[in-house]
Amino acid sequence: MHPEVRKPAMIFCFTYLFFYVNTQGFKNFIMGLKEKSTDLRRRMRNALKGGGDKAIQKQKAIGKLTARERIITLLDTNTFHEYDLFVEHAAKDFDMDKKYLPGDGVITGTGTISGHPVCVYAQDFTVAGGSLGWMHAKKITKIMDHALKLKVPLIGINDSGGARIQEGVNSLAGYGEIFYRNTLASGVIPQISVILGPCAGGAVYSPALTDFVFVVENISKMFITGPEVIKTVLGEEISMEALGGARVHCEKTGNAHFFAKSEEECFNQIKSLVSYIPWNNNRKAAKYPKKKPKTKKYNIESIIPSDAREPYDVCDVIRSLTDDSDFMEVQELFAKNIVIGFGRMEGDTVGFVANQPMVLAGVLDVDSSDKAARFIRYCDAFNIPLVTLVDLPGYLPGVDQEHAGVIRHGAKILYAYSEATVPKITLIMRKAYGGGYIAMCSHHLRADFVFAWPTAEIAVMGPEGAANIIFRKEIMAAEDPDKFRKQKVDEYKEKFANPYVAAAYGYIDAVIEPTETRKMLIRALGISQEKEVYLPKKKHGIPPF
Ligand code: HXC
């Protein structure tokens, strides 16, 4: 062939070959991608089925959402980003090698709640009863590590029969790894547990190490050993609900902090809580638009009765102080003689601790001390200032209380307030007697500001008790003991049942009109924003656990 013709012919041949090969390659590539995508979708469909339709229907019949529905309901729309969908268990014994457990019974990932980022996991009861095997635990610990690294709250939705029996010590090891991380994360990121099924053994110890536990009526059950074991070992018969139902843990044990009637209500409560707390211990809680309290409904002058012996609902006082009169009470059903919870003042989150005169006259006892102390430590860890409202006759006397360890438990509140370095503002409304005066964030435990209403009474004990003790001999010797006692009670009242003796020593910074309360608290909180306190250097203290 002539060279002049050969050259273009060769170019043509090479070009043709190039396009032929590459078009085929491209076709093959596209075909391969399609097949792989189909395969991916098939695998995803399998994994997303959970324990299958029958198991899901069983759960639905008792009013439960599926694990995935729970996450979707909790998080902002389209924000859930799932990890480790294809994780599978590696167990072999008891025919486990023949079983496929989608996602190994737990769903993990990230998302947002009202724009706040969170890490989340939800155990899937339809897959081997949500039981915790080694890979299941690895998924949870991975998302926990992620939350700790990203410094965002961790929310665990628990619905599990506990350690997966077939996996033996590996499931126990898995729980150990979770407990260790719960402890490391404590006070660094908020940890929220939701109990949405029968949770046994290890499945309740991890929640117990977290900050807040949410339960739902008729759905949540928590126990270390279930009714069957109790019957076998002790011969006692008890239903699951009576042993560890939602009410039991909210009212009696104090293991749970929030009670809801449905899963939807529970998720709304979590959303509300997340709005009050910061993402981690280096931040402050998000600021919200300022709002005035609803003073028509919550008017401080009409809430407080004129007779100092009459009770009133201290929650109304709190609502008279907070923005829009919002107050999210924590452990509302437990140790009702003390009220704890979150509200906002001028858009900022405040932790409230208040004696409740409606229940046991607001005394401190074993349970109320535990309840308040833990909350104080929570607020301190997460930079939430504390407002303490005082009206109590002191610690509850009685054999039961003494033998239940009121000394040790009562000391927790002293420890928690003393150690807390967040702004601490105290208001004495009426009674502040004895140990109760000191314990409820007095100046001596380093309150930054202590205010008192003119109705405040600050003394070692109430006038009746005091007169009976210090004038016992004189009362017995008097011609008319009752008249003499009354005279001494009145004298004592005149001398001590007011805020001015404490004010004269500087233990109270200002005696204020009740109507000035919100203004004074806001001022005190505002001036305390950059507060710094240096505690002695130590590894850690030894609180009266
Ligand atoms: C493996 C489990 C399981 C477990 C339940 N399943 N718990 N599989 N290990 N721990 C399986 C069941 O075999 C069943 O599988 C499915 O999950 C549903 O369970 P059911 O019993 O049918 O459901 P229900 O009647 O609602 O009863 C739920 C339950 C009960 C109360 C949780 O299953 C139960 O008592 N489980 C054991 C609880 C327990 O003792 N766990 C160990 C704790 S010790 P199929 O295939 O039939 O659907 C522990 C150690 C750690 O956790 C301690 C750390 C401190």
Side-chain angles (χ1 to χ4, degrees), residues 58 125 128-129 131 160-166 172 175 179 198 200-203 205 223-224 240:
K58 201 175 156 194
F125 196 83
S131 59
S160 165
R164 186 174 296 152
I165 297 160
Q166 299 92 324
L172 300 181
Y175 270 126
F179 301 161
Y205 269 126
F223 37 75
I224 298 298
M240 241 197 246

Side-chain angles (χ1 to χ4, degrees), residues 89-99 165-168:
H89 75 83
K92 292 190 175 57
D93 297 330
F94 302 104
D95 285 340
M96 283 296 283
D97 49 349
K98 298 189 186 76
K99 283 191 182 159
I165 297 160
Q166 299 92 324
E167 294 203 30

Side-chain angles (χ1 to χ4, degrees), residues 404-531:
V406 71
I407 298 173
R408 175 165 50 91
H409 292 279
K412 290 179 194 177
I413 198 166
L414 303 173
Y415 196 105
Y417 268 131
S418 300
E419 198 187 40
T421 57
V422 285
K424 299 184 281 194
I425 324 291
T426 301
L427 171 74
I428 303 177
M429 299 179 295
R430 297 200 310 197
K431 296 184 286 296
Y433 289 144
Y437 157 71
I438 308 169
M440 292 303 290
C441 204
S442 59
H443 252 310
H444 324 294
L445 305 188
R446 300 297 179 270
D448 300 297
F449 296 95
V450 178
F451 302 124
W453 287 348
T455 44
E457 302 175 16
I458 301 153
V460 173
M461 61 174 70
E464 282 78 11
N468 276 338
I469 292 174
I470 54 183
F471 301 111
R472 188 163 55 94
K473 285 189 196 131
E474 291 89 332
I475 291 170
M476 277 164 66
E479 242 176 59
D480 183 345
D482 286 345
K483 193 175 163 201
F484 185 81
R485 182 187 292 111
K486 185 172 178 314
Q487 187 189 325
K488 291 296 166 195
V489 166
D490 289 345
E491 268 176 37
Y492 189 90
K493 266 190 195 159
E494 178 65 23
K495 177 88 184 124
F496 290 117
N498 62 62
Y500 301 107
V501 180
Y505 286 105
Y507 301 148
I508 284 169
D509 300 299
V511 181
I512 62 169
E513 296 279 356
T515 47
E516 287 183 306
T517 307
R518 180 173 148 95
K519 185 181 77 187
M520 295 298 279
L521 291 177
I522 288 172
R523 219 179 258 173
L525 288 165
I527 202 95
S528 313
Q529 280 189 37
E530 300 296 321
K531 176 185 172 185

Side-chain angles (χ1 to χ4, degrees), residues 176-373:
E177 294 292 331
I178 292 172
F179 301 161
Y180 179 74
R181 283 169 176 80
N182 282 137
T183 309
L184 287 197
S186 180
V188 182
I189 52 167
Q191 298 184 82
I192 293 168
S193 296
V194 198
I195 307 291
L196 291 180
C199 289
V204 290
Y205 269 126
S206 172
L209 289 165
T210 62
D211 306 326
F212 299 105
V213 177
F214 289 74
V215 288
V216 174
E217 189 165 38
N218 296 327
I219 290 179
S220 313
K221 325 265 185 267
M222 300 167 75
F223 37 75
I224 298 298
T225 49
E228 288 298 322
V229 179
I230 291 180
K231 191 173 168 193
T232 312
V233 178
L234 301 166
E236 291 171 12
E237 284 197 39
I238 186 161
S239 70
M240 241 197 246
E241 190 66 29
L243 178 66
R247 278 205 181 272
V248 170
H249 287 298
C250 285
E251 292 173 2
K252 281 192 183 173
T253 68
N255 286 331
H257 301 80
F258 294 97
F259 177 87
K261 287 198 178 288
S262 66
E263 294 200 16
E264 283 79 4
E265 189 192 347
C266 172
F267 293 131
N268 284 334
Q269 290 173 343
I270 297 170
K271 289 176 197 184
S272 179
L273 177 68
V274 168
S275 79
Y276 280 110
I277 58 180
W279 300 359
N280 60 58
N281 65 337
N282 286 332
R283 296 175 74 121
K284 287 192 172 176
K287 193 168 178 78
Y288 281 74
K290 300 172 187 181
K291 286 183 178 169
K292 291 207 169 358
K294 294 173 179 157
T295 38
K296 273 197 184 144
K297 191 166 178 197
Y298 301 103
N299 181 319
I300 213 151
E301 283 181 313
S302 54
I303 294 167
I304 309 294
S306 48
D307 181 346
R309 285 164 303 182
E310 289 250 324
Y312 58 90
D313 186 351
V314 80
C315 293
D316 289 344
V317 177
I318 296 171
R319 288 182 187 279
S320 78
L321 301 172
T322 55
D323 292 7
D324 211 25
S325 296
D326 275 339
F327 177 52
M328 182 168 199
E329 192 171 348
V330 178
Q331 287 189 302
E332 187 181 348
L333 303 174
F334 179 67
K336 292 180 180 177
N337 38 330
I338 205 151
V339 169
I340 55 172
F342 300 108
R344 287 192 190 90
M345 297 185 86
E346 297 282 85
D348 290 315
T349 299
V350 173
F352 286 91
V353 180
N355 307 119
Q356 174 58 284
M358 299 241 290
V359 181
L360 294 170
V363 284
L364 282 176
D365 58 5
V366 167
D367 286 343
S368 61
S369 299
D370 279 6
K371 174 176 164 181

